[in-house]
Amino acid sequence: MATFTVSQGGDADGVSIFATIQEAVNAAQAAGPGSVVEVRDGTYNENVVITGDGITLRSVNGRDAVTIQGSSAGGALGTIVLAPGADDVRIEGFH
């Protein structure tokens, strides 16, 4: 199991982290089932597409600390999209 961290500021605390949720999700999918994407506080203006199995996407500090504001809100693509065949995906603590 691998953990991938997302922060709007990029690197923090000497840890290499991702600036976008999608970049971290892509890395987690490449690492395989059981991978976790932890998102630090902030508002993220992006759409996230999850195509892999067994990924957990979660807010570090809960739903009041992190918002994913889809860049295509109101369009055909939702803020978080689970592609067909993306099984055992967990999404925790987001608005």
Side-chain angles (χ1 to χ4, degrees):
M1 178 175 93
T3 300
F4 302 89
T5 304
V6 181
S7 177
Q8 291 177 325
D11 293 345
D13 305 326
V15 176
S16 178
I17 57 180
F18 296 88
T20 70
I21 298 168
Q22 188 64 60
E23 289 174 333
V25 165
N26 292 346
Q29 292 172 155
S35 295
V36 176
V37 175
E38 293 187 333
V39 183
R40 292 186 179 178
D41 298 0
T43 298
Y44 295 83
N45 296 306
E46 62 181 293
N47 294 92
V48 179
V49 179
I50 300 173
T51 60
D53 294 335
I55 305 298
T56 297
L57 175 63
R58 71 174 163 230
S59 166
V60 172
N61 292 311
R63 66 179 292 129
D64 291 330
V66 176
T67 300
I68 301 174
Q69 180 70 40
S71 58
S72 297
L77 183 63
T79 300
I80 300 175
V81 175
L82 300 180
D87 297 319
D88 301 317
V89 174
R90 296 181 64 171
I91 301 171
E92 305 168 350
F94 293 97
H95 277 286

